[in-house]
Amino acid sequence: MTAMLQRKMNQIDTKEHRLLRSFLETSFFEKFSTHGSSKFTVIEEPYTGFGYADAVGIIFDGHAYKSWSPHRNKLKNDDIKILHHLYLCNKGRSLEDLNSELGFSKNFIERSIKRLDDANTIYFLKDNRVKNQPINKIFFLKEIIAIEAKLKDWKGALLQSKNNLSFCSRAYSLFPKDVNKENFMNRYQGTGVGVITHKEKYKIELSSKKNNIPKTLNSWLFNEYVGRMLL
């Protein structure tokens, strides 16, 4: 069983990393997982399609294991690409449609559809078109919250955090408490990115805009990672 999600190994001990680790010891993510069966986990330095995010907090439905098929652990990245495409289309697609729209060979699409069907992630319409199962049955992440830690490089933090918005529900830049916020807070306004400062306690200086997920393939890869590793 593979995790599907790449992670950076051999993290270097820097002041930024110590800032991040100190922040991760707070109750920040707990405040997003207070409803029903929600649980959370934190993944450090996962690959997101735009490089490696410093940390990503995942809030997920703890009851999802009840519908998680063992066949889902056999899905490949390209299977998830097809599943995401079906979700975006919001209507059934024929094998010919998938061939022309995604460029995969017909043989691969047939095998992929078989794997997705075995994993209970799709179903067939009467005319043999394929449609994804309802999203609340196959995507169980409630929040994907990305954190980018910097000591003072707000331009770099803002750029990476904006990239993180491509796959997550919320994105934050994390700075030390004594950072000079007057230099950059106005540049964060209207971007959707939030700002957190931290020393012994954290403070949300600017809230992140909440986006709907899944947004991209990488949103799904976090979903599959949690399903395979934690359910």
Side-chain angles (χ1 to χ4, degrees):
M1 181 176 68
T2 57
M4 298 188 81
L5 195 69
Q6 298 179 38
R7 297 178 64 189
K8 183 184 290 186
M9 307 305 292
N10 302 321
Q11 296 164 340
I12 300 174
D13 184 28
T14 64
K15 289 183 178 180
E16 284 182 355
H17 188 242
R18 290 195 289 273
L19 169 67
L20 177 68
R21 294 306 300 268
S22 176
F23 170 73
L24 294 181
E25 292 175 357
T26 72
S27 61
F28 174 77
F29 292 110
E30 293 177 15
K31 75 190 197 72
F32 296 98
S33 59
T34 57
H35 300 291
S37 62
S38 292
K39 296 183 179 181
F40 78 92
T41 189
V42 178
I43 307 171
E44 288 193 53
E45 298 201 68
Y47 184 71
T48 66
F50 292 96
Y52 293 87
D54 286 339
V56 175
I58 309 294
I59 316 301
F60 63 97
D61 180 0
H63 289 163
Y65 69 91
K66 296 179 180 178
S67 60
W68 186 268
S69 166
H71 288 284
R72 194 150 177 176
N73 297 333
K74 300 177 182 179
L75 296 180
K76 306 174 186 297
N77 279 31
D78 284 342
D79 299 333
I80 304 302
K81 287 181 182 179
I82 291 175
L83 182 61
H84 182 57
H85 184 71
L86 292 172
Y87 164 70
L88 292 178
C89 290
N90 197 31
K91 58 182 180 179
R93 311 304 287 163
S94 68
L95 300 189
E96 291 74 18
D97 292 332
L98 295 174
N99 172 248
S100 63
E101 292 165 359
L102 297 176
F104 294 125
S105 71
K106 290 183 179 179
N107 285 338
F108 174 81
I109 291 173
E110 289 177 356
R111 295 193 300 269
S112 180
I113 291 300
K114 176 65 166 57
R115 288 190 292 268
L116 290 168
D117 186 34
D118 289 342
N120 298 323
T121 59
I122 61 170
Y123 64 96
F124 291 90
L125 301 174
K126 292 182 179 179
D127 58 3
N128 260 351
R129 287 180 299 142
V130 182
K131 198 175 189 310
N132 62 282
Q133 292 282 0
I135 192 63
N136 62 355
K137 292 185 177 181
I138 57 177
F139 189 90
F140 56 90
L141 303 191
K142 305 299 184 183
E143 294 259 16
I144 304 176
I145 306 171
I147 305 293
E148 188 67 24
K150 296 291 184 185
L151 298 181
K152 56 184 179 181
D153 178 16
W154 66 264
K155 291 183 179 179
L158 179 57
L159 176 62
Q160 182 61 51
S161 295
K162 288 169 71 174
N163 287 338
N164 290 341
L165 283 174
S166 69
F167 69 88
C168 68
S169 55
R170 303 177 198 261
Y172 284 93
S173 296
L174 172 68
F175 299 98
K177 187 175 182 179
D178 58 359
V179 71
N180 188 351
K181 298 187 296 294
E182 294 180 1
N183 289 341
F184 62 82
M185 282 297 293
N186 63 320
R187 301 297 292 272
Y188 274 78
Q189 297 289 340
T191 65
V193 176
V195 175
I196 300 172
T197 54
H198 172 69
K199 190 174 181 181
E200 295 176 355
K201 296 182 179 180
Y202 73 86
K203 179 181 180 182
I204 299 176
E205 305 284 353
L206 178 67
S207 293
S208 168
K209 176 185 175 182
K210 183 180 179 182
N211 299 303
N212 292 327
I213 50 175
K215 298 187 68 179
T216 64
L217 171 64
N218 284 288
S219 303
W220 285 94
L221 295 184
F222 281 102
N223 189 72
E224 302 308 298
Y225 176 91
V226 171
R228 296 183 184 199
M229 305 305 291
L230 298 181
L231 297 182

